[in-house]
Amino acid sequence: MNEKTRRPALAKAGRPSPTLEDLATAAGVSRSTASRAINGGLKVSPEAQAAVDAAIVALGYTPNRAARSLVTRRTASVALVIPEPDARVMMDPYFAAVITGVNEALRDTDMQLVLLMSRTGDDSARTIRYLRGGHVDGAIVVSHHRADAWVESLGDTGLPTVFIGRPWDTGSGIPFVDLDNREGGRLAAQHLARLGRTKLGTVAGPGDMTAAVDRLEGWLQGLREAGLQPGPVVHGDFTTPGGAEAARNLFAQAPELDGVFAASDLMALGVVDAVRGAGRRVPDDVSVVGFDNHAILASGGIGLTTVTHPVVDMAEAAGQLLLRAIEDPGQQMDPLIYPPELVVRGSTVG
């Protein structure tokens, strides 16, 4: 075959790939609608999305992600920042629920989730440098501590950011999703008071976290409303070993306690172990209330009475807020606060 006869075949085989304009024409939508549809379906009607999806299949259209990133300055990824040690993130069901919820928010988009775990000092500085470097389109911060200074650092970057849990500085304008933790602590106090428990103490969470502070304040408010004197307070670290150690300190101060509120379910497991280690029974001698509703059982198969913390729903809502902030950085978003509920199980009622 000579060169002249071969050229038409090469031209046919080397036919250019369909463009975004070709896709929009085939779908019967505008170029901007087609672009939004292939970038995650933000602000696209179901009918237009279906038309674009069908056109993609019919034309064999493949988005040029590198070119799109240069034009839009988007990375199609968001960061989930967890300023906690790796071991705690892997062991605490709270963080698994957060990841599940954020992933659910991103499910129908083109966004990928980048997990960043860091502690204070060099790790957090490195994380901030990464976030400032244009590697992600937005960030969700969860389980933050007072010393982390994430609000100030991320506020300076202009990066769309959402917090899960109330930040210490609420005047920054950064949106957040939270539980009414104060009301949750109050519900725990009311429940134990209704059971006739009068000698009450609490294993509170870390004092540098807003959730722990709010739960403790609600607990104390509930005791005042019930006409009960506040008992001893010992702070734990939201882990089971930390809860057990805090409970032993609690009973060393007040051996007569007949009710304990632990500010997390994991700490409540440690409280139950400490009660049994002292030769007492749950709930006969000591009633125990946790917080989170992770549906985990204490030793001996006892179900924990606990305060609900709809983490998956909250994390999904945070992801949706972040997508809105990325799409429209200038819009103001009010905090989203979820109500708690008390779930009664065997650790308070035999």
Side-chain angles (χ1 to χ4, degrees):
M1 182 181 294
N2 59 33
E3 185 70 17
K4 189 175 289 186
T5 58
R6 193 171 54 178
R7 278 177 184 162
L10 286 171
K12 184 176 181 180
R15 187 169 53 194
S17 300
T19 66
L20 182 60
E21 288 76 9
D22 296 332
L23 180 68
T25 299
V29 299
S30 68
R31 186 183 187 281
S32 62
T33 297
S35 176
R36 289 196 300 272
I38 65 175
N39 281 302
L42 297 176
K43 296 184 179 179
V44 177
S45 69
E47 295 77 12
Q49 184 70 57
V52 173
D53 290 344
I56 289 173
V57 174
L59 297 179
Y61 177 81
T62 302
N64 186 333
R65 295 186 181 276
R68 185 178 72 194
S69 180
L70 287 173
V71 173
T72 64
R73 299 185 182 274
R74 297 278 182 86
T75 66
S77 61
V78 298
L80 176 61
V81 182
I82 307 178
E84 294 289 353
D86 295 2
R88 186 180 166 212
V89 174
M90 297 305 162
M91 296 296 292
D92 193 331
Y94 172 82
F95 297 109
V98 168
I99 294 170
T100 298
V102 175
N103 267 326
E104 187 62 32
L106 304 181
R107 180 181 300 278
D108 296 327
T109 75
D110 238 5
M111 291 288 191
Q112 296 296 318
L113 183 63
V114 178
L115 181 60
L116 302 177
M117 294 182 287
S118 70
R119 285 301 301 142
T120 56
D122 291 342
D123 281 353
S124 60
R126 182 176 58 189
T127 301
I128 290 295
R129 287 196 299 271
Y130 179 87
L131 295 173
R132 285 175 170 163
H135 300 289
V136 295
D137 297 326
I140 295 173
V141 181
V142 62
S143 194
H144 46 287
H145 300 253
R146 188 192 292 270
D148 291 331
W150 290 104
V151 172
E152 296 83 357
S153 299
L154 291 177
D156 292 341
T157 68
L159 183 73
T161 303
V162 175
F163 275 68
I164 298 177
R166 175 176 63 83
W168 284 101
D169 179 11
T170 56
S172 64
I174 293 180
F176 64 92
V177 179
D178 200 7
L179 181 76
D180 188 343
N181 288 289
R182 175 186 279 269
E183 177 62 14
R186 180 173 168 272
L187 290 175
Q190 287 180 333
H191 176 63
L192 291 172
R194 281 195 300 268
L195 293 176
R197 305 293 183 170
T198 58
K199 302 177 181 63
L200 304 176
T202 182
V203 175
D208 66 343
M209 302 183 72
T210 58
V213 171
D214 290 348
R215 291 172 194 179
L216 178 57
E217 288 180 354
W219 163 257
L220 296 175
Q221 177 185 346
L223 294 180
R224 288 194 298 270
E225 292 174 352
L228 297 174
Q229 291 296 317
V233 177
V234 177
H235 290 272
D237 60 359
F238 284 147
T239 70
T240 298
E245 181 180 358
R248 287 191 289 270
N249 291 334
L250 201 67
F251 286 109
Q253 296 180 44
E256 73 282 2
L257 291 180
D258 58 10
V260 176
F261 167 51
S264 78
D265 283 350
L266 290 184
M267 291 199 302
L269 297 182
V271 172
V272 172
D273 289 343
V275 170
R276 290 183 163 179
R280 304 178 73 190
R281 298 168 298 168
V282 175
D284 304 71
D285 302 316
V286 182
S287 291
V288 178
V289 178
F291 202 112
D292 286 326
N293 195 28
H294 287 320
I296 49 181
L297 297 176
S299 56
I302 295 178
L304 286 176
T305 293
T306 184
V307 178
T308 60
H309 191 182
V311 182
V312 174
D313 291 345
M314 291 169 59
E316 183 176 0
Q320 292 167 347
L321 286 179
L322 183 62
L323 292 174
R324 285 171 50 195
I326 293 170
E327 187 71 14
D328 184 5
Q331 69 173 307
Q332 296 295 315
M333 290 180 283
D334 294 328
L336 182 58
I337 310 298
Y338 281 71
E341 295 179 1
L342 183 78
V343 179
V344 178
R345 298 193 180 101
S347 64
T348 59
V349 178

